[in-house]
Structure formats: C-alpha cells, structure tokens
Amino acid sequence: MQQLYKLIDAIPESIQGKLIKRNISAGETILYKGEDVQHVYILIKGIVSVSSKFKNGQRYTFAQFGAPSFIGEVESLAEQPIYAANVQAVTPCTTLSMSTSTFWHWLESDTSFSLLMAQLVATKMYPSSNNNGTIKFMSGKQKLLHYLIDQYLPYDKNYFTLTIKKYPISL
C-alpha cells in the first residue's frame, strides 16, 4: 500500500482544498447502509468493519480493513444511489472525506489515481467474488459444513463453540 500513501501525499491542490478531515471514535458509524451516496472517504488512520443488518435482525460483518484505504468508492464507481453496507470504526480513525463529484473529478484528471483505484477495488472485490462463486453452487449440507469448519476454533481440537440465535437452517 506504499502506492496509496504516495498518492495521499501527492493529492492535487485542487482536490486538497475540498477534503474534510475528521477524527472518528471507536464504535462510531462512518456511513450507513441505505444512505444516499454523497461522499467517498480516505481512511488515513485506524481500522473499520463493514457489516450489514438483515431482515431477521442478524448483523453480519463481512470485512475489516485498516488504513490506508477508501470507503464508499465502490458505490460511487458503480454509480449506485445508496451505500451497500454499514462502515463502523473499530479503533479511533481519521478520514478525509470528499464529495462524489470531487472524487470523480480526481479520477478524470489523474491517470495514476484512476489506475490505483481500479487496482484497489479489484483487490477489495476479488475475495468476495471468489468466495460467492464457490458458495452459491454448494448444496445446503455443504454450506452448513463450510460454516461449521469456519467456526471451528483451531487452538483446541477437542471441541468448538457454535453460537446461533434462532436462525432457521434448511437443508
């Protein structure tokens, strides 16, 4: 991620003047699923988690990442009107936020930034695409087995703890 640090250090002056620095406390939500996409954030310090809450009340955290990184860039690049997930600070964080129009101006005017953004999004999306492609074609029993293996605590081979809150499983 040295490239990203170099990029942050070389943000064009026309973009720097439009960035808003924000310190965020651990536990604070940076953006909510379903909110209008209005900003893209550069995470310059800290760790965030990405989660989604489902109709049954379950919250599923499917990613956690640290600085340096971007938040909200996928929705903006896909020209989606709403954020797809909640992003919450796990540790104290510092972000630089910009409007989506500023983000797009930067992309259009800086080839190095555009290429790095393409690489960052591809790196972020690849594990999900690879995993989803595998899981979608598994039978119910295979999905359950996959889930149980993921929950297994490798430091104690005699047992594992499985915590489920009244979540119906159909095989």
Side-chain angles (χ1 to χ4, degrees):
M1 283 296 111
Q2 279 303 96
Q3 284 180 298
L4 187 51
Y5 278 123
K6 286 180 184 175
L7 183 76
I8 290 170
D9 289 340
I11 294 173
E13 284 186 34
S14 62
I15 303 298
Q16 283 181 14
K18 297 178 181 179
L19 297 175
I20 300 170
K21 185 175 181 178
R22 183 170 161 221
N23 293 314
I24 300 161
S25 302
E28 188 177 342
T29 301
I30 298 168
L31 56 88
Y32 291 93
K33 178 179 181 170
E35 278 186 333
D36 291 343
V37 175
Q38 295 181 357
H39 295 91
V40 174
Y41 302 83
I42 305 172
L43 179 65
I44 57 174
K45 178 185 163 213
I47 298 171
V48 298
S49 67
V50 183
S51 65
S52 201
K53 190 172 182 180
F54 296 94
K55 289 179 184 177
N56 64 5
Q58 295 285 338
R59 180 175 296 277
Y60 177 67
T61 299
F62 51 88
Q64 190 173 60
F65 57 89
S69 190
F70 281 80
I71 302 168
E73 80 285 9
V74 172
E75 291 90 344
S76 184
L77 288 168
E79 296 183 326
Q80 293 301 305
I82 60 172
Y83 292 113
N86 298 313
V87 178
Q88 186 175 37
V90 174
T91 64
C93 294
T94 303
T95 64
L96 298 173
S97 70
M98 68 188 95
S99 68
T100 54
S101 62
T102 298
F103 176 70
W104 276 95
H105 172 74
W106 190 7
L107 283 170
E108 292 167 350
S109 63
D110 187 340
T111 306
S112 296
F113 177 58
S114 296
L115 291 172
L116 181 59
M117 188 54 55
Q119 182 183 19
L120 291 172
V121 170
T123 300
K124 191 181 271 189
M125 300 307 296
Y126 178 80
S128 176
S129 297
N130 187 39
N131 192 33
N132 284 342
T134 302
I135 290 176
K136 285 192 190 270
F137 294 100
M138 289 181 178
S139 70
K141 289 180 184 178
Q142 288 172 318
K143 288 177 185 176
L144 178 58
L145 182 59
H146 180 71
Y147 175 76
L148 292 172
I149 290 170
D150 281 352
Q151 298 303 308
Y152 177 74
L153 300 176
Y155 59 83
D156 187 340
K157 298 188 187 265
N158 294 322
Y159 74 95
F160 69 94
T161 303
L162 178 63
T163 305
I164 297 179
K165 293 181 181 180
K166 294 185 180 180
Y167 186 73
I169 298 174
S170 59
L171 301 175

